[in-house]
Amino acid sequence: MVRYYQAKGTKNKFSGEALQQALQDLKENKGSIRKTAAAYGIPSSTLSDHHRGISSKRFGGRSTVLTYEEEKEIVQSCIVLQEMGFPIDRTSLTSVVADYLKANSRSNPFTADTPGPDWFTGFMKRWKSSLSQRKPQHLSRKRAKALTPDRVSKWMEFTEELYRKAGLFRLSSKELSRRIWNCDETAFATASSSKLVIARRGSKSVYETMTGSGREYITVHWCGNANGDQIPPYILYKAQHLYSIWTKNGPSGSLYGVSSSGWMEKPNFYSWFVKGFLPHLRKMSLIPPAQCCNSSATKDDDQHQGVILFFDGHYSHINLEVISEAKKNHITLVSLPPNTTHALQPLDVGVFSPMKKSWQKIMTEHRRKTHGRGIDKIIFPKLIQELSERSMKQSHFQSAFRGAGLYPQPTAAAIPRSLLAPAEAVTRASKSPSKSPHTGTA
């Protein structure tokens, strides 16, 4: 258990910032140690020790093992590693400190020569203005390398030219937002993922009783535009046959399908495209009526502006039939650059994350109401309907398209630098000469 120490008395109450400013004044010869100490409320002996570099106290209280400057350097290293996409955890940090003390022949007061939870808690409190503990989002090395500033800029230039060719810049901002769409599928677990629960101390195993066959996933294909308009979802089951009982009580207008893998395959995407996407666009008067597409172009046909559909470019999405239908209906299909959807696809940027959080709550509530009953294909559509009401907000889509830099005008400035930093770090590392154990330089 981490122990929390409470200082007694009022001795040495001064901040680390005051100490650093006092040391800076001494460095610039702005006064003597005694006068500077009095000006900042610091004991002159303490300031003298710090000035001569023989004290490890950052401020009043127990001395720290590392000096303020040493800790500051570690803090800066933590930040640099995090920005590069390689954040360190508590274990790694304490190992770094242990290695530092050993390499510099410093006294090591820690048990087993490694800082424990007490030291870590104190360190984080001392540097709470600079550091915090967060759960990282996993980013593959391929994705890190893909999202370079140059590639993002070229993507935005390419997208801007697409808008121009489609005549979208001649439209009002509102009409433009109605014509920029994004679709993608995501999997929904039918059982909650691991979570912390309250159990008897010392328990070796903690189980949670569930009915059904356990955890499985069901795919749902979503689509929306920059205005926040949405296409009813396409629910896809892993099965050989689709039973009508699996299609009840879902969101109005939803489509249903099956595949052997449980993921979107070419026939599924084509079915969604012609039975879901195209009819919905016609209802919104964004594409010509169906009869116009089956004959030669007409004057009314020429008056329709284009529609752009962004998707992740997976091979399961496109075949010649989809391309033909898109061309007849003035729809430009745009594949997002590989390994960049976490930053450039609106659904990933601002829709799926809050959706999954809502889904976890829905699963928990369902299990509580049904005394642990699992989620099967019969109940799944009803829960997706509940999810749509809770999470699929118009504002989520609007913010997502702006966050992905696709609206109101393609711009790389919308992509957070924190997402580009890992790519920049990987690029620098790839250009740096690496040491070879045989030749010295690879």
Side-chain angles (χ1 to χ4, degrees):
M1 176 182 290
V2 178
R3 297 181 292 276
Y4 295 92
Y5 303 100
Q6 184 173 359
K8 298 180 180 180
T10 59
K11 182 181 179 181
N12 294 352
K13 283 196 172 183
F14 56 86
S15 66
E17 289 73 14
L19 175 59
Q20 291 306 304
Q21 188 59 54
L23 291 172
Q24 186 64 30
D25 286 356
L26 290 177
K27 186 176 180 180
E28 297 175 359
N29 297 318
K30 292 184 177 181
S32 65
I33 290 179
R34 186 176 298 277
K35 289 183 179 180
T36 303
Y40 287 95
I42 302 172
S44 57
S45 59
T46 300
L47 182 58
S48 177
D49 288 344
H50 277 279
H51 183 54
R52 290 183 291 165
I54 62 173
S55 174
S56 60
K57 288 185 179 181
R58 182 184 168 206
F59 46 82
R62 177 180 294 188
S63 299
T64 58
V65 176
L66 301 176
T67 66
Y68 174 80
E69 291 300 328
E70 288 171 334
E71 287 197 350
K72 184 177 181 180
E73 185 175 350
I74 290 176
V75 169
Q76 292 171 344
S77 298
C78 289
I79 294 173
V80 169
L81 287 170
Q82 177 243 311
E83 291 177 344
M84 290 174 63
F86 302 100
I88 62 175
D89 57 13
R90 187 184 78 176
T91 301
S92 299
L93 176 61
T94 54
S95 295
V96 167
V97 173
D99 291 342
Y100 177 84
L101 294 175
K102 182 178 180 180
N104 290 274
S105 301
R106 296 273 294 277
S107 61
N108 192 324
F110 302 116
T111 302
D113 292 334
T114 301
D118 286 345
W119 177 88
F120 179 78
T121 299
F123 177 82
M124 294 301 293
K125 287 178 67 175
R126 290 192 291 276
W127 296 97
K128 62 182 179 181
S129 62
S130 301
L131 299 176
S132 65
Q133 286 186 282
R134 299 281 298 278
K135 179 176 291 188
Q137 294 180 324
H138 293 165
L139 183 66
S140 70
R141 188 171 180 85
K142 283 187 177 179
R143 290 199 169 201
K145 292 176 67 175
L147 201 67
T148 62
D150 180 63
R151 193 174 191 189
V152 171
S153 296
K154 289 181 178 178
W155 161 250
M156 294 303 175
E157 292 172 3
F158 168 77
T159 304
E160 184 175 5
E161 184 61 23
L162 284 178
Y163 287 13
R164 185 173 291 106
K165 287 181 178 179
L168 300 187
F169 286 139
R170 298 196 298 268
L171 305 174
S172 66
S173 178
K174 175 75 171 180
E175 185 62 20
L176 170 62
S177 69
R178 298 173 70 237
R179 294 177 173 274
I180 308 171
W181 294 80
N182 175 218
C183 69
D184 196 15
E185 63 264 15
T186 187
F188 288 85
T190 58
S192 300
S193 58
S194 300
K195 57 185 181 293
L196 295 178
V197 296
I198 307 301
R200 180 189 297 274
R201 183 176 297 279
S203 300
K204 293 184 178 180
S205 299
V206 179
Y207 300 100
E208 184 177 18
T209 303
M210 296 177 61
T211 61
S213 59
R215 188 180 178 90
E216 65 174 310
Y217 292 88
I218 298 175
T219 299
V220 182
H221 187 81
W222 302 90
C223 185
N225 66 13
N227 187 54
D229 305 310
Q230 302 166 43
I231 307 291
Y234 181 96
I235 299 175
L236 184 63
Y237 300 111
K238 181 179 180 180
Q240 297 298 321
H241 305 284
L242 179 64
Y243 297 95
S244 61
I245 198 172
W246 297 349
T247 67
K248 307 296 184 182
N249 304 316
S252 177
S254 294
L255 297 176
Y256 301 84
V258 296
S259 72
S260 58
S261 66
W263 288 100
M264 185 74 76
E265 297 177 359
K266 289 183 175 68
N268 305 116
F269 188 82
Y270 178 75
S271 177
W272 169 81
F273 193 80
V274 298
K275 296 179 181 179
F277 190 58
L278 295 183
H280 199 84
L281 295 189
R282 291 189 182 108
K283 287 182 181 179
M284 298 175 66
S285 299
L286 294 177
I287 60 175
Q291 60 270 22
C292 294
C293 302
N294 297 322
S295 60
S296 58
T298 65
K299 182 178 179 181
D300 180 68
D301 187 22
D302 292 336
Q303 291 176 351
H304 282 84
Q305 304 295 330
V307 168
I308 294 180
L309 175 62
F310 293 97
F311 62 100
D312 71 357
H314 193 271
Y315 72 92
S316 63
H317 288 159
I318 295 299
N319 57 20
L320 292 178
E321 289 82 1
V322 171
I323 295 173
S324 176
E325 291 293 336
K327 186 176 180 180
K328 288 190 295 185
N329 288 280
H330 305 276
I331 298 171
T332 302
L333 302 173
V334 185
S335 173
L336 291 153
N339 301 306
T340 64
T341 55
H342 63 289
L344 302 182
Q345 174 163 260
L347 286 171
D348 281 335
V349 169
V351 178
F352 283 162
S353 179
M355 175 198 297
K356 290 301 181 72
K357 292 178 181 178
S358 294
W359 181 247
Q360 288 291 333
K361 293 179 181 179
I362 288 173
M363 283 195 297
T364 300
E365 293 168 4
H366 171 75
R367 286 176 42 70
R368 188 183 303 121
K369 292 176 183 177
T370 61
H371 304 288
R373 177 185 172 188
I375 297 173
D376 56 24
K377 296 179 178 69
I378 299 174
I379 194 66
F380 185 78
K382 181 180 179 181
L383 299 183
I384 289 297
Q385 164 63 21
E386 187 175 342
L387 177 68
S388 296
E389 295 174 352
R390 288 193 192 186
S391 180
M392 302 304 283
K393 305 295 185 183
Q394 183 180 28
S395 59
H396 290 178
F397 282 86
Q398 293 171 339
S399 300
F401 274 82
R402 291 181 182 274
L406 298 179
Y407 178 80
Q409 183 169 337
T411 174
I415 310 303
R417 183 169 178 78
S418 60
L419 292 179
L420 301 177
E424 292 176 329
V426 171
T427 300
R428 287 195 301 269
S430 65
K431 292 181 178 180
S432 301
S434 59
K435 298 294 184 180
S436 166
H438 302 294
T439 62
T441 304

